[in-house]
C-alpha cells in the first residue's frame, strides 16, 4: 500500500487583530494532525495566536491566464480612488 | 550553499532571438524582478533545475540533522542540550519548507524522498563528515551554518516565489544557528588547554570541507551561467567563498585559533584574503559517495523511512476510517 498524506495549506494569525495569512503548506493524514504539525513547523518562535488548515485540493484559484479579464477592468476606474477628486486647499483635510 | 554542482540545461543561455515568445516573456519577468509563481508559464529546464536545486537543498537540511543529532544525548549541559534540540528541530523545519516549495513544481514529497534514498538526488558534501567531539558542534554552527547563510541570504531574492519565501523564513532562523555555534567555540577557546585543543582540532577538520560547500569554481560553467540568467543562482561560487573567508578569518583570530592554511594572507589590493583551495579530488570522492560518512548517513535515512512506514500508513488508514464514519453518521 502506498498513499501519500494529503497536502494542507497553513494560515496563521500573527497577532490579535490581524487576519490569518498563508505561511506555507505541509503533509498530514487529517486536519487535527495538520494543526499539530503546523504548530511545530510554523510557530516555533511565537509567530502565531491562531492556526487555520485547509486541504490544498479544496482551494479553488484564479488561473494566471485569467489575470487580464478578471483584474484589468478595475485599472480604468480611477474615480474609485480619493485622489481622482480635486478639493480646494481652503477646504482643508478631507 | 547546500546545493552543489546543480546541473541546468547544459546548453548555455539562449539569445533573445532563439527564444520563443513565451520564453522571452518569462525572461523579461525574471529580469524585471517579477517573481515567478507556481502556475505561471515557465521553461521546462527552469522547472527541472529548480526541482534539483531545491530538492538537494531540502535533503541537505534533513541529512544535516544527523551529525548534530549525534550529540543531543551527550551535550555537556541541559541548556546546551535544549539549544541543540531546538537547532536540529529547525533543520527539520527548513527541510519541510523547502520540500513544500519543490512540490509546487509538480514533484511529490515521496518521489523526492525516494530519489534521496536511492542516491539519485544528492545532499551537501559537508554532512558526510563526522562530528567527533563537542567542539565539532560549535564548528558546524559557526562554519557550516555560516557558509550556508552566505548563499541563502542572496537566494531570498531568487526568481521563484515559493523558494524565495522559504528562504526568508530560513534566513531568519539560521542566524541563531551560527551564533550558538560561535558561542560554543568561544567557551571552548577560553577553556582549559585540552578544550582549546579540541576547538582548534575542530576548526582544522571543518575548514576545508566548509570551503567545499560552495562547490568548485564555476566561472566557466554553462550550468551556472543559465542558473544566474534565471536568477536561481545569484553569485558565483568563488565570490561566495571569498566572502566567507573574509568574514570568518577575523572571527577565528578573535577566538585565538589559527586557520589551517599557511598560504592565508591579507591581500590589500583585492581587499580580501588569499587562501588555499580545498582538495577538489576529495570533494568529488565525497560527492560520489566515498566520503567518511556517506554510507552511514544514507543507511540512517533509509532505516528511518522504512521504520516509519507503518506509522505513515496506520495514520492514513485511521484518518480514512474516521472520515468514512463521519459520512455514515450524516
Amino acid at each position: 500500500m502506498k498513499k501519500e498524506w494529503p497536502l494542507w495549506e497553513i494560515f496563521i494569525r500573527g497577532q490579535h487583530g490581524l487576519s490569518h495569512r498563508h505561511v506555507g503548506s505541509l503533509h498530514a493524514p487529517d486536519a487535527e494532525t495538520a494543526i499539530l504539525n503546523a504548530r511545530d513547523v510554523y510557530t516555533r518562535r511565537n509567530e502565531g495566536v491562531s492556526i487555520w488548515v485547509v486541504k490544498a485540493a479544496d482551494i479553488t484559484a484564479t488561473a494566471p491566464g485569467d489575470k487580464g479579464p478578471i483584474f484589468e477592468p478595475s485599472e480604468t476606474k480611477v474615480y474609485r480612488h480619493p485622489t481622482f477628486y480635486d478639493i480646494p486647499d481652503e477646504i482643508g483635510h478631507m | 550553499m547546500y546545493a552543489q554542482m546543480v546541473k541546468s540545461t547544459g546548453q548555455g543561455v539562449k539569445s533573445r532571438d532563439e527564444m520563443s515568445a513565451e520564453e522571452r516573456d518569462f525572461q523579461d519577468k525574471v529580469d524585471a524582478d517579477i517573481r515567478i509563481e507556481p502556475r505561471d508559464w515557465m521553461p521546462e529546464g527552469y522547472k527541472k533545475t529548480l526541482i534539483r536545486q531545491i530538492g538537494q537543498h531540502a535533503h541537505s537540511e534533513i541529512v544535516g540533522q544527523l551529525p548534530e543529532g549525534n550529540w543531543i544525548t551527550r551535550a555537556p549541559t541541559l541548556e546546551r542540550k535544549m539549544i541543540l534540540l531546538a537547532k536540529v528541530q529547525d533543520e527539520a523545519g527548513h527541510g519541510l519548507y523547502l520540500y513544500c516549495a519543490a512540490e509546487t513544481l509538480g514533484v511529490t514529497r515521496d518521489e523526492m524522498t525516494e530519489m534521496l534514498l536511492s542516491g539519485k538526488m544528492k545532499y551537501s558534501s559537508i554532512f558526510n563528515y563526522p562530528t567527533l567531539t563537542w567542539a565539532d558542534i560549535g564548528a558546524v554552527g559557526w562554519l557550516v551554518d555560516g557558509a550556508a547563510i552566505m548563499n541563502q541570504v542572496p537566494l531570498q531574492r531568487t526568481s521563484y516565489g515559493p523558494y524565495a519565501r522559504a528562504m526568508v523564513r530560513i534566513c531568519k532562523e539560521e542566524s541563531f544557528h551560527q551564533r550558538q555555534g560561535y558561542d560554543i567555540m568561544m567557551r571552548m577557546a577560553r577553556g582549559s588547554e585540552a578544550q582549546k585543543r579540541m576547538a582548534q582540532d575542530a576548526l582544522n577538520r571543518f575548514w576545508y570541507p566548509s570551503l567545499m560547500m560552495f562547490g568548485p569554481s564555476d566561472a566557466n560553467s554553462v550550468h551556472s551561467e543559465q542558473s544566474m540568467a534565471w536568477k536561481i543562482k545569484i553569485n558565483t561560487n568563488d565570490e561566495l567563498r571569498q566572502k566567507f573567508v573574509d568574514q570568518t578569518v577575523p572571527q577565528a583570530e578573535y577566538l585565538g585559533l589559527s586557520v589551517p592554511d599557511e598560504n592565508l594572507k591579507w591581500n590589500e589590493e583585492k581587499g580580501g584574503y588569499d587562501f588555499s583551495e580545498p582538495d577538489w579530488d576529495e570533494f568529488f570522492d565525497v560527492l560520489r559517495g566515498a566520503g567518511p560518512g556517506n554510507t552511514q548517513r544514507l543507511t540512517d535515512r533509509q532505516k528511518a523511512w522504512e521504520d516509519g512506514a507503518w506509522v505513515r500508513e496506520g495514520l492514513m488508514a485511521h484518518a480514512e476510517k474516521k472520515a468514512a464514519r463521519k459520512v455514515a453518521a450524516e
Side-chain angles (χ1 to χ4, degrees):
Chain A
M1 185 189 94
K2 186 150 163 33
K3 201 176 278 172
E4 200 165 342
W5 287 356
L7 189 68
W8 300 79
E9 297 298 333
I10 311 302
F11 299 81
I12 290 183
R13 187 200 297 287
Q15 307 165 27
H16 289 292
L18 294 182
S19 304
H20 286 75
R21 257 187 75 185
H22 182 243
V23 293
S25 52
L26 51 77
H27 289 271
D30 55 34
E32 291 75 21
T33 319
I35 287 187
L36 289 179
N37 290 355
R39 189 205 54 177
D40 289 345
V41 178
Y42 292 107
T43 66
R44 288 195 300 281
R45 288 178 176 75
N46 241 343
E47 288 98 333
V49 294
S50 163
I51 300 174
W52 288 352
V53 300
V54 182
K55 239 187 204 166
D58 289 341
I59 291 181
T60 310
T62 56
D66 297 341
K67 216 164 93 188
I70 296 183
F71 301 109
E72 268 165 23
S74 75
E75 280 175 18
T76 51
K77 298 178 175 57
V78 283
Y79 47 83
R80 287 184 171 159
H81 298 277
T83 45
F84 180 73
Y85 306 93
D86 285 327
I87 302 293
D89 285 348
E90 51 264 46
I91 299 299
H93 176 73
M94 182 183 278
Chain B
M1 110 136 133
Y2 283 163
Q4 295 157 325
M5 314 277 301
V6 174
K7 291 201 166 90
S8 65
T9 58
Q11 284 157 3
V13 182
K14 279 189 190 173
S15 71
R16 286 189 72 82
D17 295 339
E18 294 168 302
M19 290 181 185
S20 67
E22 277 169 322
E23 285 174 313
R24 261 197 301 273
D25 282 350
F26 172 85
Q27 192 62 49
D28 287 343
K29 276 168 82 178
V30 171
D31 291 344
D33 283 327
I34 297 171
R35 294 263 188 278
I36 308 302
E37 294 297 341
R39 295 172 70 202
D40 293 341
W41 186 89
M42 58 186 92
E44 238 356 82
Y46 176 82
K47 188 185 282 186
K48 276 196 190 139
T49 310
L50 264 179
I51 291 175
R52 261 182 228 135
Q53 178 173 330
I54 304 175
Q56 202 186 105
H57 195 159
H59 296 326
S60 300
E61 300 282 357
I62 298 300
V63 177
Q65 294 178 97
L66 297 170
E68 296 187 292
N70 181 34
W71 278 91
I72 290 174
T73 55
R74 290 175 285 161
T77 65
L78 183 58
E79 188 185 52
R80 291 287 184 200
K81 190 199 201 77
M82 292 195 303
I83 292 171
L84 187 56
L85 260 175
K87 180 180 190 288
V88 172
Q89 193 188 18
D90 273 356
E91 306 298 1
H94 296 178
L96 295 183
Y97 308 154
L98 288 161
Y99 280 133
C100 288
E103 284 179 83
T104 63
L105 293 160
V107 61
T108 72
R109 176 78 56 92
D110 283 2
E111 279 165 1
M112 279 187 283
T113 304
E114 277 154 16
M115 282 192 274
L116 166 70
L117 299 183
S118 69
K120 214 177 142 206
M121 276 177 107
K122 302 282 179 208
Y123 55 91
S124 175
S125 58
I126 189 75
F127 301 116
N128 291 310
Y129 291 87
T131 43
L132 304 176
T133 73
W134 174 251
D136 288 8
I137 297 302
V140 166
W142 171 36
L143 301 172
V144 175
D145 289 287
I149 291 171
M150 278 291 152
N151 224 299
Q152 290 170 339
V153 166
L155 280 176
Q156 293 178 100
R157 293 179 282 119
T158 189
S159 59
Y160 190 56
Y163 190 25
R165 292 190 285 275
M167 247 35 255
V168 170
R169 293 189 66 88
I170 289 175
C171 285
K172 267 192 209 154
E173 299 176 349
E174 205 73 69
S175 172
F176 144 58
H177 297 180
Q178 193 186 15
R179 292 173 69 129
Q180 68 84 37
Y182 197 69
D183 188 65
I184 293 175
M185 291 306 276
M186 283 197 297
R187 186 63 69 88
M188 302 288 290
R190 287 177 192 159
S192 66
E193 273 310 307
Q195 284 173 314
K196 204 175 161 176
R197 273 200 304 277
M198 274 169 72
Q200 181 63 55
D201 174 56
L203 172 57
N204 291 349
R205 281 181 292 108
F206 276 93
W207 175 253
Y208 287 106
S210 299
L211 297 187
M212 290 178 201
M213 285 176 68
F214 300 97
S217 177
D218 59 352
N220 302 312
S221 156
V222 285
H223 298 296
S224 292
E225 192 195 3
Q226 177 62 77
S227 291
M228 288 175 95
W230 282 334
K231 294 193 187 168
I232 56 181
K233 182 178 173 72
I234 314 288
N235 306 90
T236 67
N237 296 347
D238 289 326
E239 276 167 14
L240 292 170
R241 187 169 15 251
Q242 180 71 51
K243 232 173 130 184
F244 174 73
V245 171
D246 293 344
Q247 174 192 285
T248 308
V249 170
Q251 295 168 351
E253 282 166 1
Y254 180 84
L255 293 171
L257 302 178
S258 48
V259 172
D261 179 1
E262 50 192 29
N263 298 317
L264 186 78
K265 213 174 106 220
W266 178 256
N267 180 333
E268 190 61 49
E269 208 174 304
K270 76 171 177 185
Y273 287 92
D274 290 332
F275 57 94
S276 303
E277 289 277 311
D279 177 354
W280 291 114
D281 289 338
E282 177 183 318
F283 171 79
F284 287 112
D285 282 346
V286 173
L287 272 201
R288 236 195 359 260
N294 295 63
T295 310
Q296 174 87 52
R297 299 288 185 246
L298 264 193
T299 311
D300 285 350
R301 287 312 308 154
Q302 282 156 351
K303 184 170 168 3
W305 182 246
E306 282 157 21
D307 289 356
W310 71 273
V311 179
R312 294 192 299 276
E313 287 162 17
L315 285 178
M316 198 62 235
H318 177 67
E320 280 168 350
K321 208 162 88 182
K322 240 180 10 182
R325 215 179 280 147
K326 206 172 144 204
V327 171
E330 272 164 9

